[in-house]
Amino acid sequence: MITSQQMRAARALLGIDQRQLAELAGLSLPTIQRMEASNGQVRGVVDTLVKVIGALESNGIELLGEYSSSVGTGRGVRLREVADTDPKRPGRGLLSAKFPSRPEIR
């Protein structure tokens, strides 16, 4: 339904922190923190997930599922998988493919 990465990216696009998202969604700060701390797909009570998604969408965020295309206009975020990435060093495959001579970022 929504991933922790999408939640963080959506907050970044809106320029809000976890506390502000909690207020927009009518949830507690620890709930938002727990959701964003999860790995990958956020799990929780359906009503809670619906509140977060509703708050994000009502503020202009379009959540894109895997392999879905965007129907709107404007800015967005999508993380694409790269086959040759090292799982111990996420994001390295993207940089090394585009900038092979660039030093590793830590």
Side-chain angles (χ1 to χ4, degrees), residues 19-98:
R19 183 176 306 283
Q20 291 168 308
L21 178 56
E23 290 173 8
L24 290 172
L27 300 169
S28 69
L29 176 59
T31 298
I32 298 298
Q33 291 170 332
R34 177 187 51 79
M35 293 172 83
E36 287 192 5
S38 64
N39 189 13
Q41 196 82 13
V42 173
R43 295 176 193 201
V45 178
V46 172
D47 185 51
T48 302
L49 294 170
V50 169
K51 286 180 180 181
V52 169
I53 292 169
L56 294 173
E57 288 180 344
S58 68
N59 283 281
I61 295 297
E62 179 185 1
L63 296 170
L64 303 173
E66 197 168 346
Y67 305 113
S68 67
S69 60
S70 174
V71 294
T73 59
R75 297 180 180 164
V77 173
R78 181 185 299 257
L79 180 64
R80 64 182 175 89
E81 288 188 34
V82 179
D84 63 340
T85 59
D86 181 353
K88 295 178 185 170
R89 296 161 50 193
R92 179 66 183 140
L94 296 173
L95 289 175
S96 62
K98 188 150 185 141

